[in-house]
Amino acid sequence: MALKQAKLINCDTIVDAFGCVGGNSIAFARYCKKVYLIEIDENRLKMAKNNSEIYQVQDKIEFIHGDFFKEAPKISAEAIFLDPPWGGPDYAALQSFKLENFSPNGQDILKLAFKHFSKVILRIPVNFDLTELEKFGRKYEVKNNLLEGKLISKTVYFM
Ligand code: ADP
């Protein structure tokens, strides 16, 4: 799934804003020249470094320990990939998942992303209310993420 996303985004430089243990960044490193991985949790950042070494892409990734809102505006890159926390397993019980259900709030995340980056990519849960995306006045495409034939999430490409 990560590799498919990376191939579609097709850019030179990308920020992986909620980098976690590096799964998406490792895929981006295969297709992009440079990846900036931001992660607020120090242990996860260490795991991301270790994982990228296993896949031998560590030289293409810059590891940034900190908060997305503080660190992302300092970076000059073509694209930003956003996979913000969905607020725990309770997200699935919501009839329709809104931008404000991301934690931090998805509206604030997208506002900052649109201000600084030309391509913005957001991973959303399957119950996400797509009308939420209209308010930004930007063109977008939504693709399904299938794992063994099962729909597990969607990705929105504002490009
Ligand atoms: P999980 O995959 O365990 O559910 P989350 O979806 O909660 O993790 O969050 C994805 C990643 O984003 C986590 O590794 C978390 O530490 C990180 N993260 C959360 N808030 C921020 C933030 N403000 N800036 C950067 N990284 C963050």
Side-chain angles (χ1 to χ4, degrees):
M1 194 179 89
L3 284 169
K4 261 193 201 164
Q5 280 176 165
K7 217 171 168 179
L8 273 171
I9 298 166
N10 182 34
C11 66
D12 271 2
T13 48
I14 187 161
V15 179
D16 182 6
F18 299 84
C20 206
V21 297
N24 289 298
S25 283
I26 290 166
F28 295 139
R30 298 214 186 279
Y31 292 94
C32 308
K33 282 195 188 121
K34 173 112 197 193
V35 182
Y36 299 86
L37 184 159
I38 305 173
E39 173 52 54
I40 205 163
D41 180 300
E42 209 169 355
N43 275 331
R44 289 185 180 197
L45 192 73
K46 276 186 198 155
M47 288 186 235
K49 276 184 194 159
N50 184 61
N51 289 338
S52 71
E53 283 164 20
I54 293 168
Y55 285 89
Q56 298 180 338
V57 291
Q58 71 275 18
D59 294 343
K60 292 180 91 177
I61 305 176
E62 188 171 323
F63 297 89
I64 300 162
H65 179 220
D67 182 357
F68 155 74
F69 290 100
K70 192 163 166 259
E71 301 303 328
K74 297 183 201 163
I75 304 170
S76 167
E78 190 184 348
I80 187 160
F81 176 76
L82 307 160
D83 187 5
W86 297 355
D90 289 349
Y91 84 87
L94 295 173
Q95 201 185 10
S96 94
F97 189 102
K98 309 278 185 194
L99 280 171
E100 66 183 35
N101 295 124
F102 285 112
S103 167
N105 188 320
Q107 294 233 43
D108 301 333
I109 295 173
L110 280 178
K111 259 191 222 156
L112 185 146
F114 288 138
K115 194 170 165 200
H116 294 277
F117 304 92
S118 60
K119 294 181 176 181
V120 175
I121 302 95
L122 172 71
R123 200 167 80 91
I124 53 173
V126 293
N127 56 345
F128 185 84
D129 175 5
L130 292 172
T131 63
E132 289 275 277
L133 303 174
E134 303 293 335
K135 54 181 107 170
F136 298 98
R138 301 266 304 228
K139 277 193 182 161
Y140 62 85
E141 210 176 316
V142 181
K143 299 232 185 252
N144 290 338
N145 299 320
L146 302 172
L147 190 67
E148 291 171 355
K150 191 172 172 255
L151 180 62
I152 55 158
S153 67
K154 297 180 187 181
T155 303
V156 188
Y157 298 84
F158 297 92
M159 310 222 287

